[in-house]
Amino acid sequence: MGTRRGGASSLMTSLSFAAVESGRFTSGLRQIASQAGGGNGASGYYEPSDTIKKIVTATPQPVFSFSPCKTKVLLLQRPPSNPPISEFVREEVKLAGARIDPQRRTASKMSSYTGMSIVPLEAGLLPPEEGKDMPITGLPDEISAINYATWSPDGKHLAFFLRSTQFARRDEPCSLWVASTETGEARQILETPKHFMSAVFVSYSWLGSSDIVAAVMPEGMAPRPPSKSEVPTAPIVQLHESTTSKQSRTYPDLLRDEYDCASFEYYTASDLVKVNISTGEVESFGEPNRIYTRFSKSPDQKYLIVSYIEKPFSYAVPCGRFPKRVELWNAEGEKLREIAYLPLAEDIPIDFNSCRKGPRSIEWRDDKPSELIYTVANDGGDPKVEVSPNEARDTVYRVDAAAFAAGENPEAFFETDLRFSGILWCNDNLAFAWSSWWKTRRLVWYQFSPGAPEKGKEILFDRNYEDAYSDPGSPVSRRTKQRTSVLATFENDRYILLEGEGCSPKGNHPFLDLFDLETKTTKRLWESKDPNYESIGSLMCDGNGADVSFDNLSFLLSRENPQDPSQYSTISWPNGFDGEPEEKLLTNFPHPHPELKGLQKKVLKYKRKDGTDLNATLYTPPGYDAERDGPIPCLLWAYPREFKSKQAAGQIRKSSFTFSSIGGTSPLLFLAQNYAILDGPTFPIVGEGEEEPNDTFIEQLVSSAEAAVDEVVKLGIAERGAIAVGGHSYGAFMTANLLAHAPDLFSCGIARSGAYNRTLTPFGFQSEERTIWKAQDTYIRMSPYLFADKINKPILLIHGDEDNNTGTSKIQSERFFSALKGHGIPSKLVLLPHESHGYRAKESVLHCLHEMEAWMDKYCRANVGAADNDGVSSRL
């Protein structure tokens, strides 16, 4: 692997960090441009500056999970965020929208954990002191990855997958293990190869505290997948004789022929088995050799909802739209009755609020032992169908599982004139339901009595969900003894608690409110206080389904600020809400990237020329002072979003007091190289009333960018001609359009995994519902590929070689690069092997950062202090 870097870059690294530590930024630094040797046709992977590499490769803090009784914590150790690329060169099959590891029979490229231990809450802070945790023992000596770790319902055991991460053991199957939470001793409960785990769509589920239902490779299945003839036996033919419209967005990895169909069936089919973790007894469960996609147990553990895919498969849509049967089974694996048959769905409209015909959201009611719930769209799933005021667009049905098995049919009990979104259950006297509508951004929150539907429903809130300032928050839920989640109520269901982000013109201030369901009045109980960002999490007083009251109320609380990472506490009010809350600290996680401790963060507010309020988060390096040090190179990193009103578009949905967690490809990494980062400047694309936002996409995009650049220049942070622009996915699309339509605004661009030719996404993209045949001019104007000849600033294109995101195939970057090259535009295309829409392999991530750093050093940093009298760089 190539790791060499140019001398100028190395000098820049050492000088810049000396400047940070001393608080001085000399003019001499601005004259050094890194050439970053390599990456220009040379072979091998390259790495960014040492400090950036150190931040990226640091071991992340562990993940923790509370036991059902909430007296113990499962601590899961995470490996460095980016595994080596050797893990990604495993064989991968791409079928029907799924990406499969054929040897492990799981989804490919899964994230995992490297170790785990159990910690009593009374042991002190997490991570615990040595000797205060109980490691899981009995695991294999070789390095293994842990997946799908779950608590048993009674909290006495853990179940989890183990798989080898050693490159030499390519065909090592996944195995299912359990561990005692009292002793930490683990053992394998399904032996391989007899029970080779098969977990492409489903893995396993607890059925009570002693039994587990797991998906395994079908008995008697051929040891090898079907073979493909090297000589074609027929052409590939697709036929459409119906006059029904069948429009689909640009799905990747679709089936192409009968061989693909056979392979899909081979890799995804499974048998179900039930294993008793005490006796080790294994028995067959349900029908064998099916493509199971779900098994969901009822709260009383007596029934299951089971779904599986059937033929005919499709060459036009991914497997989520293949024919599916949904059945009711008992706990012994016997089919009792079919709940629904959902035929092949190639005709779901591309419009938002579209859905599949027939029952959807087939679920268990959380406050009943075994009541089935599902929803049916009366408009056939087509939002263009007009519904009169007296008609229901969606109807929700229910039936007790035992009665349904005996032949009783579901009854309608709830209707909405918008698209139904879901229900939060409490009891027969109280439940909340939500419905929404995309075109108007309307969200309605209802209160009703499930046991007396004749009483009708009452609207609690009817609002525009884009309006963050009017958000009342979300109801707090509690855990039941059956491990379901229901509405937490107080004093005979009169009061509920609402927790929310607290968006306001002063920034986000999360809150906890008491809401009176009789008077519909609200009392604020708690609110985050500056200069920290605090947020209420889940209830901590509902362990094992314990009753919740004002007397025992406690929550998980997180607290952070720009210099200190999030730490967790429990918060309670032993003296009532009028007294000061009490806290007990649970964690003491170290700073994840001390190299950038001291970074400076500020939320900026400014306007674009049409009066729309905009905002952005400005980050500057530790020790930087604009008055003393003058302008530094700046990277603007953004992602446009659509709105239906300027008022909603201009709202602030961020805080100056949050801690900045820096991921492997975060633009904030370049703070370590003395760049200012304007992160997430709002680029609202507004279409009020009947207007379509994208009809003025370019004008609004350019206007937002001009306002952002004006703001950082006015603050003295950056200067014109030394500001780079970049983004990922739709942000890459934004970047290319800005270089095409505002060619003098930025010094260069970085576009990762974008789409640049909208004629290649003819049935809609992002929030655009119209097809190219209905909005041809808009599609053309929004395609930077068609304006490549207008670009005059360097642009770096990075793309995953195996991008699986709808609409962003790597051909988008390949063709755009050809257009740029053909017009003499300084440009570079980097395709990252084995990477999808995001980048995960260590080598890929580091090389991506190397390319970005080299590009900006050459085309942005080098221009600091070189602007002419018009404020435009003369160095390009």
Side-chain angles (χ1 to χ4, degrees):
M1 182 184 72
T3 59
R4 52 194 181 277
R5 296 186 52 80
S9 176
S10 300
L11 178 61
M12 187 67 230
T13 301
S14 59
L15 286 176
S16 61
F17 271 89
V20 170
E21 292 172 2
S22 66
R24 294 178 290 105
F25 280 69
T26 67
S27 59
L29 288 179
R30 304 188 197 112
Q31 306 303 316
I32 299 176
S34 168
Q35 300 305 312
N40 294 297
S43 62
Y45 286 94
Y46 288 82
E47 296 180 347
S49 301
D50 291 342
T51 305
I52 292 179
K53 178 184 175 182
K54 185 176 180 181
I55 296 171
V56 171
T57 56
T59 299
Q61 70 182 33
V63 172
F64 60 91
S65 168
F66 293 103
S67 65
C69 59
K70 295 191 174 176
T71 60
K72 298 179 180 179
V73 177
L74 173 64
L75 208 61
L76 292 158
Q77 303 296 333
R78 295 190 291 170
S81 301
N82 306 111
I85 201 163
S86 59
E87 174 67 11
F88 290 79
V89 300
R90 295 179 61 88
E91 183 182 357
E92 180 182 57
V93 295
K94 306 167 188 176
L95 299 167
R99 294 196 167 182
I100 302 166
D101 184 323
Q103 280 128 0
R104 292 173 177 159
R105 295 180 69 87
T106 65
S108 61
K109 300 177 182 175
M110 294 190 298
S111 58
S112 59
Y113 305 102
T114 56
M116 56 185 177
S117 60
I118 297 172
V119 186
L121 271 183
E122 66 267 16
L125 299 178
L126 299 175
E129 296 178 11
E130 186 175 352
K132 290 192 174 183
D133 63 334
M134 180 175 65
I136 303 300
T137 60
L139 302 179
D141 292 334
E142 67 268 18
I143 298 174
S144 293
I146 298 167
N147 295 92
Y148 307 129
T150 62
W151 295 90
S152 63
D154 61 6
K156 294 182 179 180
H157 290 89
L158 294 168
F160 53 93
F161 267 19
L162 278 188
R163 59 187 177 89
S164 171
T165 58
Q166 295 181 0
F167 180 70
R169 303 184 66 178
R170 296 173 61 87
D171 58 352
E172 178 74 10
C174 294
S175 53
L176 182 61
W177 292 63
V178 295
S180 166
T181 59
E182 299 297 326
T183 66
E185 184 179 354
R187 67 187 191 281
Q188 185 175 341
I189 60 169
L190 284 176
E191 296 296 329
T192 54
K194 180 179 180 181
H195 291 121
F196 192 143
M197 304 307 299
S198 181
V200 174
F201 296 130
V202 292
S203 54
Y204 72 88
S205 178
W206 287 97
L207 188 59
S209 293
S210 298
D211 293 321
I212 290 177
V213 176
V216 298
M217 186 172 175
E219 186 175 355
M221 176 165 278
R224 292 183 179 83
S227 58
K228 185 174 185 177
S229 174
E230 294 184 2
V231 179
T233 58
I236 298 172
V237 178
Q238 297 188 48
L239 177 65
H240 179 70
E241 293 182 320
S242 170
T243 58
T244 303
S245 172
K246 293 185 178 182
Q247 300 176 351
S248 295
R249 296 205 175 189
T250 317
Y251 295 115
D253 304 336
L254 298 178
L255 302 179
R256 297 185 65 251
D257 51 31
E258 286 300 318
Y259 168 75
D260 279 358
C261 291
S263 297
F264 175 76
E265 190 171 16
Y266 177 85
Y267 288 120
T268 58
S270 61
D271 290 349
L272 299 181
V273 296
K274 182 166 70 172
V275 54
N276 185 285
I277 65 171
S278 299
T279 65
E281 181 182 358
V282 180
E283 58 183 272
S284 297
F285 194 80
E287 291 295 319
N289 199 16
R290 284 181 172 168
I291 304 175
Y292 289 104
T293 57
R294 180 189 179 201
F295 40 91
S296 171
K297 60 183 180 294
S298 61
D300 64 3
Q301 316 282 333
K302 293 182 178 179
Y303 302 94
L304 291 100
I305 298 170
V306 179
S307 62
Y308 54 92
I309 289 173
E310 287 191 333
K311 292 180 177 179
F313 302 151
S314 171
Y315 298 159
V317 293
C319 56
R321 296 190 179 189
F322 288 1
K324 181 189 297 183
R325 290 194 187 273
V326 187
E327 298 173 345
L328 176 67
W329 291 10
N330 63 21
E332 286 69 49
E334 299 170 334
K335 174 186 172 181
L336 302 178
R337 188 178 173 186
E338 183 172 281
I339 301 171
Y341 172 70
L342 304 175
L344 178 63
E346 291 185 340
D347 58 349
I348 299 177
I350 61 173
D351 307 82
F352 290 92
N353 284 129
S354 299
C355 61
R356 196 168 187 163
K357 296 175 183 177
R360 72 177 195 274
S361 302
I362 303 171
E363 306 285 352
W364 294 109
R365 180 170 160 178
D366 291 319
D367 64 325
K368 290 288 186 179
S370 52
E371 185 169 292
L372 285 165
I373 305 292
Y374 63 75
T375 307
V376 173
N378 301 316
D379 58 8
D382 187 350
K384 293 190 295 293
V385 172
E386 294 293 332
V387 174
S388 69
N390 297 323
E391 292 180 311
R393 187 173 291 276
D394 276 5
T395 300
V396 187
Y397 294 82
R398 68 179 178 188
V399 64
D400 179 77
F404 182 70
E408 185 174 319
N409 290 323
E411 62 173 356
F413 77 102
F414 190 85
E415 296 179 335
T416 69
D417 59 347
L418 307 178
R419 188 66 77 215
F420 176 75
S421 303
I423 293 178
L424 177 58
W425 302 95
C426 182
N427 52 45
D428 275 338
N429 296 318
L430 178 63
F432 295 144
W434 288 265
S435 65
S436 62
W437 200 245
W438 163 258
K439 283 289 189 185
T440 58
R441 309 303 200 266
R442 184 184 175 198
L443 175 67
V444 183
W445 177 352
Y446 307 94
Q447 176 183 337
F448 71 104
S449 299
E454 68 276 3
K455 293 182 180 180
K457 54 186 181 289
E458 178 184 2
I459 294 179
L460 282 183
F461 299 99
D462 188 345
R463 51 182 291 270
N464 183 325
Y465 62 74
E466 282 186 345
D467 180 9
Y469 293 174
S470 70
D471 187 356
S474 301
V476 170
S477 59
R478 65 175 179 87
R479 300 290 281 177
T480 68
K481 289 182 173 61
Q482 292 74 36
R483 297 190 71 189
T484 61
S485 183
V486 300
L487 177 68
T489 62
F490 304 86
E491 297 187 7
N492 297 318
D493 299 340
R494 175 171 177 174
Y495 297 98
I496 63 170
L497 296 172
L498 300 175
E499 57 91 17
E501 281 295 310
C503 299
S504 75
K506 296 182 179 180
N508 290 9
H509 289 82
F511 64 84
L512 181 68
D513 282 352
L514 181 68
F515 186 75
D516 188 329
L517 291 173
E518 290 186 8
T519 65
K520 305 300 186 286
T521 56
T522 301
K523 177 183 178 181
R524 180 129 310 172
L525 304 179
W526 172 90
E527 185 174 302
S528 176
K529 295 181 178 63
D530 299 343
N532 294 309
Y533 181 83
E534 304 162 317
S535 181
I536 289 287
S538 59
L539 281 170
M540 292 295 291
C541 51
D542 60 350
N544 283 338
D547 292 334
V548 176
S549 69
F550 289 138
D551 295 332
N552 72 345
L553 197 63
S554 66
F555 287 89
L556 188 68
L557 174 76
S558 66
R559 177 179 288 116
E560 62 193 85
N561 59 53
Q563 306 307 323
D564 300 306
S566 183
Q567 305 293 353
Y568 294 87
S569 307
T570 57
I571 183 172
S572 59
W573 291 264
N575 300 315
F577 292 111
D578 293 328
E580 287 296 315
E582 291 186 359
E583 294 183 28
K584 179 183 177 182
L585 188 63
L586 297 179
T587 66
N588 186 27
F589 294 125
H591 197 292
H593 33 80
E595 298 82 2
L596 287 179
K597 189 168 186 177
L599 63 80
Q600 301 167 82
K601 176 181 180 181
K602 182 180 180 181
V603 174
L604 306 180
K605 292 181 280 187
Y606 50 98
K607 293 180 182 289
R608 72 183 184 193
K609 60 187 178 183
D610 65 357
T612 303
D613 290 322
L614 304 177
N615 59 81
T617 305
L618 175 66
Y619 293 88
T620 52
Y624 170 74
D625 182 271
E627 291 187 7
R628 180 190 64 213
D629 304 315
I632 56 176
C634 179
L635 170 62
L636 183 155
W637 195 266
Y639 191 98
R641 298 187 185 278
E642 296 80 2
F643 291 88
K644 289 301 293 180
S645 73
K646 291 181 180 178
Q647 181 267 337
Q651 293 181 346
I652 294 179
R653 297 170 174 83
K654 57 190 70 172
S655 169
S656 294
F657 303 112
T658 55
F659 179 76
S660 300
S661 296
I662 301 178
T665 55
S666 169
L668 301 187
L669 288 162
F670 296 100
L671 289 167
Q673 290 303 97
N674 300 326
Y675 280 83
I677 309 297
L678 193 66
D679 189 43
T682 49
F683 277 68
I685 311 300
V686 183
E688 298 188 306
E690 297 300 315
E691 296 176 353
E692 290 288 348
N694 284 339
D695 287 348
T696 54
F697 178 89
I698 299 300
E699 293 83 356
Q700 296 190 63
L701 191 74
V702 171
S703 181
S704 296
E706 290 173 341
V709 168
D710 288 345
E711 186 68 15
V712 291
V713 170
K714 181 182 74 174
L715 294 173
I717 302 294
E719 59 186 9
R720 301 182 194 279
I723 302 174
V725 62
H728 188 93
S729 195
Y730 209 54
F733 170 70
M734 169 208 74
T735 297
N737 267 308
L738 285 173
L739 294 188
H741 299 285
D744 296 326
L745 202 55
F746 298 100
S747 64
C748 63
I750 298 171
R752 298 191 325 215
S753 298
Y756 311 103
N757 184 350
R758 285 302 166 200
T759 68
L760 298 179
T761 57
F763 289 106
F765 57 90
Q766 202 69 6
S767 296
E768 179 57 69
E769 294 181 294
R770 298 170 297 174
T771 70
I772 192 173
W773 296 274
K774 293 182 178 179
Q776 189 175 90
D777 289 344
T778 297
Y779 274 67
I780 290 173
R781 292 195 69 227
M782 290 180 69
S783 296
Y785 172 82
L786 301 177
F787 296 88
D789 61 325
K790 306 300 182 185
I791 296 175
N792 63 11
K793 298 296 172 62
I795 181 168
L796 170 64
L797 306 175
I798 303 175
H799 216 114
D801 193 50
E802 298 179 12
D803 194 332
N804 67 342
N805 185 54
T806 302
T808 57
S809 168
K810 71 172 179 177
I811 196 174
Q812 291 273 3
S813 287
E814 291 173 328
R815 296 295 166 82
F816 190 37
F817 176 65
S818 294
L820 293 166
K821 187 170 60 172
H823 286 90
I825 310 302
S827 51
K828 186 174 188 178
L829 172 63
V830 179
L831 296 178
L832 299 172
H834 302 290
E835 295 295 349
S836 185
H837 192 58
Y839 320 139
R840 291 192 54 210
K842 174 184 174 182
E843 292 84 349
S844 300
V845 168
L846 293 178
H847 190 88
C848 171
L849 295 170
H850 157 79
E851 295 285 2
M852 293 173 65
E853 182 181 8
W855 200 256
M856 290 192 297
D857 281 355
K858 184 175 181 179
Y859 294 113
C860 180
R861 183 190 297 280
N863 296 342
V864 176
D868 61 23
N869 293 332
D870 296 324
V872 179
S873 171
S874 60
R875 290 195 174 187
L876 293 181

